[in-house]
Amino acid sequence: WAMPRPMMVLAGTFCRSVPSSKMEPEAAGSSGFRTVLDYLDEHYAAPLTVPALAERFGYDPAYFCRKFRRETGMTCGEYLRTLRLEAAALLLRSERELPVQQLAARCGFEDSNYFSRCFCARYGAPPSRWRKNEMENEKQSNPEQKREKTSD
């Protein structure tokens, strides 16, 4: 599954919403680690593991974990979960007919119940209710849409 254009926009939005010390490599010699972050940004929906990522980029798994945390301020799992949740929020807004279970799978969550728990913890509401609230907020902030519906 290729990353759609909205995901690239999301990645930019995400990077701006998280303090740079949390997402950008901190040390001057860290630019090589950017390759790891770019890979995760593009393949977040794939089933990724620390051992597989460490091997792919030539690191010992324990060293990879330490380096990841030092470079980003979060664990690899936290970073990946954040990317997946941000992608899910974007899809909840744009793919309104897509069932939550399919959306969760598309964003890399194998267990839709786990996805719902993580989403609720981050956004304060289960995915389906959050989507409904977002749609209602959009209608309230777009009076043109209201007029069109009432004139039908």
Side-chain angles (χ1 to χ4, degrees):
W1 183 71
M3 183 165 77
R5 176 74 180 125
M7 289 310 304
M8 289 185 247
V9 171
L10 169 68
T13 302
F14 174 69
C15 288
R16 285 189 300 276
S17 69
V18 175
S20 61
S21 63
K22 295 289 186 193
M23 293 298 293
E24 294 299 320
E26 294 171 356
S30 303
S31 61
F33 205 73
R34 183 77 233 170
T35 307
V36 174
L37 301 179
D38 289 343
Y39 181 83
L40 291 176
D41 291 347
E42 291 180 28
H43 298 91
Y44 66 89
L48 301 171
T49 65
V50 167
L53 288 167
E55 182 178 338
R56 177 177 188 83
F57 293 100
Y59 295 106
D60 171 76
Y63 178 73
F64 179 81
C65 289
R66 287 191 308 273
K67 184 166 179 65
F68 197 99
R69 185 160 189 100
R70 185 174 60 242
E71 296 292 330
T72 65
M74 60 182 77
T75 67
C76 184
E78 291 168 336
Y79 183 90
L80 192 55
R81 188 171 36 258
T82 299
L83 287 177
R84 289 173 173 172
L85 289 170
E86 293 285 336
L90 182 67
L91 285 174
L92 283 166
R93 285 187 187 114
S94 63
E95 301 286 333
R96 294 179 177 175
E97 301 303 317
L98 186 65
V100 171
Q101 292 80 4
Q102 288 179 16
L103 184 140
R106 191 181 285 186
C107 293
F109 288 95
E110 294 178 11
D111 181 344
S112 62
N113 291 322
Y114 174 69
F115 163 69
S116 291
R117 284 194 310 275
C118 290
F119 193 92
C120 194
R122 180 170 176 93
Y123 293 101
S128 54
R129 187 169 7 145
W130 187 86
R131 175 191 269 165
K132 183 179 176 189
N133 291 345
E134 286 295 306
M135 290 170 61
E136 288 172 3
N137 290 341
E138 185 178 302
K139 285 179 187 176
Q140 289 174 359
S141 66
N142 189 350
E144 285 295 315
Q145 198 174 35
K146 277 186 191 175
R147 272 191 242 128
E148 288 175 13
K149 291 198 183 243
T150 57
S151 65
D152 287 343

Short mmCIF file of all heavy atoms in Angstrom, two decimals, residues 21-76:
data_model
loop_
_atom_site.label_atom_id
_atom_site.label_comp_id
_atom_site.label_asym_id
_atom_site.label_seq_id
_atom_site.Cartn_x
_atom_site.Cartn_y
_atom_site.Cartn_z
N SER A 21 12.55 18.78 19.03
CA SER A 21 13.44 17.93 19.80
C SER A 21 12.89 16.51 19.91
O SER A 21 13.61 15.58 20.21
CB SER A 21 13.66 18.50 21.20
OG SER A 21 12.43 18.52 21.90
N LYS A 22 11.60 16.34 19.64
CA LYS A 22 11.00 15.01 19.72
C LYS A 22 11.07 14.25 18.40
O LYS A 22 10.98 13.05 18.37
CB LYS A 22 9.53 15.11 20.14
CG LYS A 22 9.33 15.65 21.51
CD LYS A 22 9.75 14.66 22.54
CE LYS A 22 9.42 15.14 23.93
NZ LYS A 22 10.06 14.36 24.94
N MET A 23 11.18 14.95 17.28
CA MET A 23 11.11 14.27 16.00
C MET A 23 12.40 14.36 15.19
O MET A 23 12.65 13.53 14.37
CB MET A 23 9.98 14.86 15.15
CG MET A 23 8.61 14.59 15.71
SD MET A 23 8.21 12.86 15.79
CE MET A 23 8.14 12.47 14.06
N GLU A 24 13.17 15.39 15.37
CA GLU A 24 14.35 15.59 14.54
C GLU A 24 15.58 15.05 15.24
O GLU A 24 15.70 15.14 16.46
CB GLU A 24 14.54 17.09 14.25
CG GLU A 24 13.45 17.67 13.40
CD GLU A 24 13.32 17.03 12.04
OE1 GLU A 24 14.35 16.72 11.41
OE2 GLU A 24 12.19 16.82 11.61
N PRO A 25 16.50 14.50 14.50
CA PRO A 25 17.75 14.06 15.12
C PRO A 25 18.42 15.22 15.84
O PRO A 25 18.46 16.33 15.34
CB PRO A 25 18.59 13.61 13.91
CG PRO A 25 17.58 13.26 12.86
CD PRO A 25 16.44 14.22 13.08
N GLU A 26 18.91 14.94 17.04
CA GLU A 26 19.45 16.00 17.87
C GLU A 26 20.92 16.28 17.60
O GLU A 26 21.35 17.41 17.62
CB GLU A 26 19.25 15.64 19.35
CG GLU A 26 17.78 15.61 19.71
CD GLU A 26 17.52 15.04 21.10
OE1 GLU A 26 18.48 14.61 21.76
OE2 GLU A 26 16.36 15.03 21.50
N ALA A 27 21.70 15.25 17.38
CA ALA A 27 23.13 15.44 17.22
C ALA A 27 23.46 15.79 15.77
O ALA A 27 22.77 15.35 14.85
CB ALA A 27 23.86 14.17 17.63
N ALA A 28 24.50 16.58 15.59
CA ALA A 28 24.88 17.02 14.24
C ALA A 28 25.19 15.84 13.33
O ALA A 28 24.90 15.86 12.15
CB ALA A 28 26.08 17.96 14.32
N GLY A 29 25.76 14.77 13.87
CA GLY A 29 26.11 13.61 13.06
C GLY A 29 24.97 12.64 12.87
O GLY A 29 25.17 11.53 12.43
N SER A 30 23.76 13.03 13.20
CA SER A 30 22.62 12.11 13.19
C SER A 30 21.87 12.06 11.87
O SER A 30 20.88 11.37 11.77
CB SER A 30 21.62 12.53 14.28
OG SER A 30 22.25 12.56 15.52
N SER A 31 22.31 12.80 10.88
CA SER A 31 21.53 12.87 9.65
C SER A 31 21.32 11.50 9.03
O SER A 31 20.33 11.27 8.35
CB SER A 31 22.19 13.82 8.66
OG SER A 31 23.48 13.36 8.32
N GLY A 32 22.23 10.55 9.27
CA GLY A 32 22.06 9.20 8.74
C GLY A 32 20.84 8.52 9.33
O GLY A 32 20.24 7.66 8.69
N PHE A 33 20.47 8.87 10.55
CA PHE A 33 19.30 8.26 11.17
C PHE A 33 18.01 8.75 10.53
O PHE A 33 16.97 8.12 10.66
CB PHE A 33 19.30 8.54 12.68
CG PHE A 33 18.54 7.51 13.46
CD1 PHE A 33 19.04 6.25 13.66
CD2 PHE A 33 17.30 7.81 14.00
CE1 PHE A 33 18.33 5.29 14.36
CE2 PHE A 33 16.58 6.87 14.71
CZ PHE A 33 17.10 5.60 14.89
N ARG A 34 18.08 9.86 9.82
CA ARG A 34 16.91 10.38 9.12
C ARG A 34 16.37 9.33 8.15
O ARG A 34 15.16 9.27 7.91
CB ARG A 34 17.31 11.67 8.37
CG ARG A 34 16.18 12.36 7.67
CD ARG A 34 15.32 13.11 8.66
NE ARG A 34 13.95 12.68 8.47
CZ ARG A 34 12.94 12.97 9.26
NH1 ARG A 34 13.14 13.70 10.31
NH2 ARG A 34 11.73 12.55 9.02
N THR A 35 17.24 8.50 7.61
CA THR A 35 16.83 7.42 6.70
C THR A 35 15.86 6.47 7.40
O THR A 35 14.89 6.03 6.80
CB THR A 35 18.07 6.65 6.20
OG1 THR A 35 18.99 7.58 5.65
CG2 THR A 35 17.70 5.62 5.17
N VAL A 36 16.14 6.16 8.66
CA VAL A 36 15.27 5.29 9.44
C VAL A 36 13.90 5.94 9.60
O VAL A 36 12.85 5.31 9.37
CB VAL A 36 15.88 4.98 10.83
CG1 VAL A 36 14.90 4.19 11.69
CG2 VAL A 36 17.20 4.23 10.67
N LEU A 37 13.89 7.22 9.97
CA LEU A 37 12.62 7.93 10.17
C LEU A 37 11.84 8.05 8.87
O LEU A 37 10.61 7.89 8.85
CB LEU A 37 12.87 9.30 10.78
CG LEU A 37 13.58 9.31 12.14
CD1 LEU A 37 13.80 10.73 12.62
CD2 LEU A 37 12.83 8.49 13.15
N ASP A 38 12.54 8.32 7.79
CA ASP A 38 11.87 8.39 6.48
C ASP A 38 11.25 7.04 6.12
O ASP A 38 10.13 6.99 5.60
CB ASP A 38 12.86 8.81 5.38
CG ASP A 38 13.27 10.27 5.50
OD1 ASP A 38 12.58 11.04 6.20
OD2 ASP A 38 14.31 10.62 4.90
N TYR A 39 11.97 5.97 6.41
CA TYR A 39 11.44 4.63 6.12
C TYR A 39 10.17 4.38 6.93
O TYR A 39 9.17 3.90 6.39
CB TYR A 39 12.50 3.56 6.45
CG TYR A 39 12.03 2.17 6.16
CD1 TYR A 39 12.12 1.65 4.87
CD2 TYR A 39 11.47 1.37 7.15
CE1 TYR A 39 11.68 0.37 4.58
CE2 TYR A 39 11.02 0.09 6.88
CZ TYR A 39 11.13 -0.40 5.59
OH TYR A 39 10.68 -1.67 5.31
N LEU A 40 10.18 4.73 8.20
CA LEU A 40 8.99 4.54 9.04
C LEU A 40 7.83 5.41 8.55
O LEU A 40 6.68 4.97 8.54
CB LEU A 40 9.30 4.86 10.50
CG LEU A 40 10.22 3.88 11.21
CD1 LEU A 40 10.52 4.37 12.61
CD2 LEU A 40 9.60 2.50 11.25
N ASP A 41 8.13 6.64 8.15
CA ASP A 41 7.09 7.53 7.64
C ASP A 41 6.41 6.95 6.41
O ASP A 41 5.22 7.17 6.19
CB ASP A 41 7.67 8.91 7.31
CG ASP A 41 8.10 9.69 8.54
OD1 ASP A 41 7.74 9.29 9.67
OD2 ASP A 41 8.82 10.69 8.37
N GLU A 42 7.16 6.23 5.59
CA GLU A 42 6.61 5.65 4.36
C GLU A 42 6.00 4.27 4.55
O GLU A 42 5.13 3.87 3.78
CB GLU A 42 7.69 5.58 3.29
CG GLU A 42 8.12 6.94 2.79
CD GLU A 42 9.21 6.85 1.73
OE1 GLU A 42 9.26 5.82 1.02
OE2 GLU A 42 9.99 7.80 1.63
N HIS A 43 6.45 3.52 5.55
CA HIS A 43 6.02 2.14 5.72
C HIS A 43 5.31 1.89 7.05
O HIS A 43 5.26 0.76 7.53
CB HIS A 43 7.24 1.20 5.61
CG HIS A 43 7.90 1.26 4.28
ND1 HIS A 43 8.94 2.12 4.01
CD2 HIS A 43 7.65 0.59 3.13
CE1 HIS A 43 9.31 1.97 2.76
NE2 HIS A 43 8.54 1.05 2.19
N TYR A 44 4.75 2.94 7.65
CA TYR A 44 4.11 2.83 8.96
C TYR A 44 3.01 1.77 9.01
O TYR A 44 2.74 1.19 10.06
CB TYR A 44 3.56 4.19 9.41
CG TYR A 44 2.43 4.66 8.54
CD1 TYR A 44 1.12 4.30 8.81
CD2 TYR A 44 2.69 5.42 7.40
CE1 TYR A 44 0.09 4.71 7.98
CE2 TYR A 44 1.66 5.82 6.58
CZ TYR A 44 0.37 5.46 6.87
OH TYR A 44 -0.64 5.85 6.04
N ALA A 45 2.36 1.50 7.89
CA ALA A 45 1.24 0.56 7.89
C ALA A 45 1.70 -0.89 7.81
O ALA A 45 0.91 -1.80 8.04
CB ALA A 45 0.30 0.87 6.72
N ALA A 46 2.96 -1.12 7.52
CA ALA A 46 3.50 -2.48 7.42
C ALA A 46 3.72 -3.05 8.82
O ALA A 46 3.89 -2.30 9.79
CB ALA A 46 4.81 -2.45 6.64
N PRO A 47 3.73 -4.37 8.93
CA PRO A 47 4.04 -4.97 10.24
C PRO A 47 5.54 -4.84 10.52
O PRO A 47 6.35 -5.59 9.97
CB PRO A 47 3.61 -6.42 10.08
CG PRO A 47 3.61 -6.67 8.61
CD PRO A 47 3.36 -5.36 7.94
N LEU A 48 5.92 -3.86 11.31
CA LEU A 48 7.32 -3.55 11.58
C LEU A 48 7.70 -3.98 12.99
O LEU A 48 6.92 -3.80 13.93
CB LEU A 48 7.57 -2.05 11.42
CG LEU A 48 7.25 -1.46 10.05
CD1 LEU A 48 7.32 0.05 10.09
CD2 LEU A 48 8.19 -2.02 9.00
N THR A 49 8.89 -4.54 13.13
CA THR A 49 9.41 -4.91 14.44
C THR A 49 10.77 -4.27 14.63
O THR A 49 11.48 -4.00 13.66
CB THR A 49 9.54 -6.43 14.60
OG1 THR A 49 10.53 -6.90 13.67
CG2 THR A 49 8.20 -7.14 14.36
N VAL A 50 11.14 -4.06 15.87
CA VAL A 50 12.45 -3.48 16.17
C VAL A 50 13.57 -4.38 15.64
O VAL A 50 14.49 -3.89 14.98
CB VAL A 50 12.61 -3.18 17.68
CG1 VAL A 50 14.07 -2.89 18.04
CG2 VAL A 50 11.73 -2.01 18.06
N PRO A 51 13.53 -5.70 15.88
CA PRO A 51 14.62 -6.53 15.34
C PRO A 51 14.74 -6.43 13.81
O PRO A 51 15.85 -6.34 13.28
CB PRO A 51 14.25 -7.95 15.77
CG PRO A 51 13.40 -7.75 16.98
CD PRO A 51 12.63 -6.47 16.73
N ALA A 52 13.63 -6.42 13.12
CA ALA A 52 13.67 -6.33 11.65
C ALA A 52 14.19 -4.97 11.21
O ALA A 52 14.99 -4.88 10.26
CB ALA A 52 12.28 -6.58 11.07
N LEU A 53 13.77 -3.90 11.88
CA LEU A 53 14.25 -2.56 11.53
C LEU A 53 15.75 -2.43 11.82
O LEU A 53 16.50 -1.89 11.02
CB LEU A 53 13.48 -1.49 12.30
CG LEU A 53 12.05 -1.26 11.85
CD1 LEU A 53 11.29 -0.42 12.88
CD2 LEU A 53 12.01 -0.60 10.48
N ALA A 54 16.16 -2.94 12.98
CA ALA A 54 17.58 -2.89 13.34
C ALA A 54 18.42 -3.61 12.30
O ALA A 54 19.45 -3.10 11.84
CB ALA A 54 17.79 -3.49 14.73
N GLU A 55 17.97 -4.78 11.91
CA GLU A 55 18.71 -5.55 10.90
C GLU A 55 18.74 -4.81 9.56
O GLU A 55 19.77 -4.72 8.91
CB GLU A 55 18.07 -6.93 10.72
CG GLU A 55 18.81 -7.80 9.72
CD GLU A 55 18.20 -9.18 9.58
OE1 GLU A 55 17.48 -9.63 10.49
OE2 GLU A 55 18.44 -9.80 8.53
N ARG A 56 17.61 -4.26 9.17
CA ARG A 56 17.52 -3.54 7.90
C ARG A 56 18.53 -2.39 7.82
O ARG A 56 19.10 -2.13 6.78
CB ARG A 56 16.10 -3.02 7.70
CG ARG A 56 15.94 -2.20 6.44
CD ARG A 56 14.49 -1.75 6.23
NE ARG A 56 14.33 -1.15 4.95
CZ ARG A 56 14.14 -1.79 3.81
NH1 ARG A 56 14.09 -3.08 3.79
NH2 ARG A 56 14.01 -1.12 2.68
N PHE A 57 18.73 -1.71 8.94
CA PHE A 57 19.60 -0.54 8.95
C PHE A 57 20.98 -0.81 9.56
O PHE A 57 21.76 0.11 9.77
CB PHE A 57 18.90 0.64 9.64
CG PHE A 57 17.72 1.12 8.86
CD1 PHE A 57 16.43 0.74 9.20
CD2 PHE A 57 17.90 1.91 7.73
CE1 PHE A 57 15.34 1.16 8.45
CE2 PHE A 57 16.82 2.34 6.98
CZ PHE A 57 15.54 1.96 7.34
N GLY A 58 21.26 -2.09 9.84
CA GLY A 58 22.60 -2.48 10.28
C GLY A 58 22.93 -2.18 11.73
O GLY A 58 24.08 -1.91 12.06
N TYR A 59 21.94 -2.23 12.61
CA TYR A 59 22.16 -1.98 14.02
C TYR A 59 21.86 -3.24 14.84
O TYR A 59 21.03 -4.06 14.45
CB TYR A 59 21.23 -0.88 14.55
CG TYR A 59 21.46 0.49 13.97
CD1 TYR A 59 20.58 1.03 13.03
CD2 TYR A 59 22.53 1.26 14.39
CE1 TYR A 59 20.78 2.31 12.52
CE2 TYR A 59 22.73 2.54 13.88
CZ TYR A 59 21.86 3.06 12.95
OH TYR A 59 22.04 4.31 12.44
N ASP A 60 22.48 -3.33 15.99
CA ASP A 60 22.09 -4.31 16.99
C ASP A 60 20.73 -3.83 17.55
O ASP A 60 20.55 -2.62 17.76
CB ASP A 60 23.14 -4.33 18.10
CG ASP A 60 22.70 -5.15 19.29
OD1 ASP A 60 22.73 -6.38 19.19
OD2 ASP A 60 22.31 -4.53 20.31
N PRO A 61 19.77 -4.72 17.79
CA PRO A 61 18.45 -4.28 18.26
C PRO A 61 18.48 -3.41 19.52
O PRO A 61 17.77 -2.41 19.60
CB PRO A 61 17.69 -5.58 18.50
CG PRO A 61 18.31 -6.54 17.54
CD PRO A 61 19.78 -6.16 17.50
N ALA A 62 19.29 -3.77 20.50
CA ALA A 62 19.35 -2.97 21.74
C ALA A 62 19.93 -1.58 21.45
O ALA A 62 19.42 -0.57 21.95
CB ALA A 62 20.19 -3.70 22.79
N TYR A 63 20.97 -1.53 20.63
CA TYR A 63 21.56 -0.24 20.27
C TYR A 63 20.57 0.59 19.46
O TYR A 63 20.45 1.80 19.65
CB TYR A 63 22.86 -0.45 19.48
CG TYR A 63 23.48 0.85 19.05
CD1 TYR A 63 24.12 1.68 19.97
CD2 TYR A 63 23.41 1.28 17.72
CE1 TYR A 63 24.69 2.88 19.58
CE2 TYR A 63 23.95 2.49 17.32
CZ TYR A 63 24.59 3.28 18.26
OH TYR A 63 25.13 4.48 17.87
N PHE A 64 19.85 -0.06 18.55
CA PHE A 64 18.84 0.62 17.74
C PHE A 64 17.81 1.31 18.65
O PHE A 64 17.46 2.47 18.43
CB PHE A 64 18.16 -0.36 16.79
CG PHE A 64 17.09 0.25 15.94
CD1 PHE A 64 17.41 0.94 14.78
CD2 PHE A 64 15.75 0.13 16.28
CE1 PHE A 64 16.42 1.52 13.99
CE2 PHE A 64 14.76 0.70 15.51
CZ PHE A 64 15.09 1.39 14.35
N CYS A 65 17.34 0.60 19.66
CA CYS A 65 16.35 1.17 20.58
C CYS A 65 16.91 2.38 21.31
O CYS A 65 16.23 3.41 21.42
CB CYS A 65 15.90 0.12 21.60
SG CYS A 65 14.87 -1.17 20.89
N ARG A 66 18.13 2.26 21.82
CA ARG A 66 18.74 3.39 22.53
C ARG A 66 18.94 4.58 21.59
O ARG A 66 18.64 5.72 21.94
CB ARG A 66 20.09 2.98 23.13
CG ARG A 66 19.97 2.08 24.34
CD ARG A 66 21.30 1.93 25.06
NE ARG A 66 22.40 1.52 24.21
CZ ARG A 66 22.72 0.25 23.92
NH1 ARG A 66 21.98 -0.74 24.43
NH2 ARG A 66 23.74 -0.03 23.15
N LYS A 67 19.44 4.30 20.40
CA LYS A 67 19.70 5.37 19.43
C LYS A 67 18.39 6.02 19.00
O LYS A 67 18.31 7.24 18.89
CB LYS A 67 20.45 4.81 18.22
CG LYS A 67 20.83 5.90 17.22
CD LYS A 67 21.84 5.37 16.22
CE LYS A 67 22.24 6.39 15.20
NZ LYS A 67 22.96 7.54 15.73
N PHE A 68 17.37 5.22 18.78
CA PHE A 68 16.08 5.77 18.36
C PHE A 68 15.56 6.74 19.41
O PHE A 68 15.14 7.86 19.10
CB PHE A 68 15.06 4.65 18.11
CG PHE A 68 13.89 5.11 17.30
CD1 PHE A 68 13.85 4.86 15.93
CD2 PHE A 68 12.84 5.81 17.87
CE1 PHE A 68 12.79 5.31 15.17
CE2 PHE A 68 11.78 6.27 17.11
CZ PHE A 68 11.75 6.01 15.76
N ARG A 69 15.60 6.32 20.65
CA ARG A 69 15.11 7.19 21.73
C ARG A 69 15.95 8.45 21.85
O ARG A 69 15.43 9.55 22.06
CB ARG A 69 15.07 6.44 23.05
CG ARG A 69 14.46 7.27 24.16
CD ARG A 69 13.99 6.36 25.28
NE ARG A 69 13.24 7.10 26.23
CZ ARG A 69 11.91 7.13 26.29
NH1 ARG A 69 11.21 6.45 25.43
NH2 ARG A 69 11.29 7.82 27.21
N ARG A 70 17.26 8.31 21.73
CA ARG A 70 18.15 9.47 21.82
C ARG A 70 17.89 10.44 20.67
O ARG A 70 17.88 11.65 20.85
CB ARG A 70 19.61 9.00 21.80
CG ARG A 70 20.60 10.12 22.02
CD ARG A 70 22.04 9.63 22.15
NE ARG A 70 22.49 8.92 20.96
CZ ARG A 70 22.87 7.64 20.93
NH1 ARG A 70 22.85 6.90 22.02
NH2 ARG A 70 23.27 7.08 19.80
N GLU A 71 17.62 9.91 19.48
CA GLU A 71 17.43 10.75 18.30
C GLU A 71 16.06 11.42 18.26
O GLU A 71 15.93 12.53 17.75
CB GLU A 71 17.61 9.92 17.02
CG GLU A 71 18.99 9.36 16.82
CD GLU A 71 20.03 10.41 16.54
OE1 GLU A 71 19.69 11.45 15.95
OE2 GLU A 71 21.20 10.21 16.91
N THR A 72 15.03 10.74 18.75
CA THR A 72 13.66 11.25 18.59
C THR A 72 13.00 11.67 19.90
O THR A 72 11.99 12.37 19.87
CB THR A 72 12.75 10.19 17.94
OG1 THR A 72 12.63 9.08 18.83
CG2 THR A 72 13.29 9.76 16.59
N GLY A 73 13.50 11.19 21.03
CA GLY A 73 12.86 11.50 22.30
C GLY A 73 11.72 10.55 22.62
O GLY A 73 11.01 10.75 23.61
N MET A 74 11.53 9.55 21.80
CA MET A 74 10.49 8.55 22.05
C MET A 74 10.98 7.19 21.57
O MET A 74 11.95 7.11 20.82
CB MET A 74 9.17 8.94 21.37
CG MET A 74 9.21 9.09 19.87
SD MET A 74 7.63 9.61 19.13
CE MET A 74 7.60 11.33 19.50
N THR A 75 10.28 6.15 21.99
CA THR A 75 10.66 4.82 21.54
C THR A 75 10.18 4.63 20.09
O THR A 75 9.31 5.37 19.61
CB THR A 75 10.03 3.72 22.41
OG1 THR A 75 8.61 3.73 22.21
CG2 THR A 75 10.38 3.89 23.88
N CYS A 76 10.72 3.62 19.47
CA CYS A 76 10.30 3.30 18.10
C CYS A 76 8.80 2.98 18.08
O CYS A 76 8.08 3.42 17.19
CB CYS A 76 11.12 2.13 17.57
SG CYS A 76 10.79 1.71 15.85
#
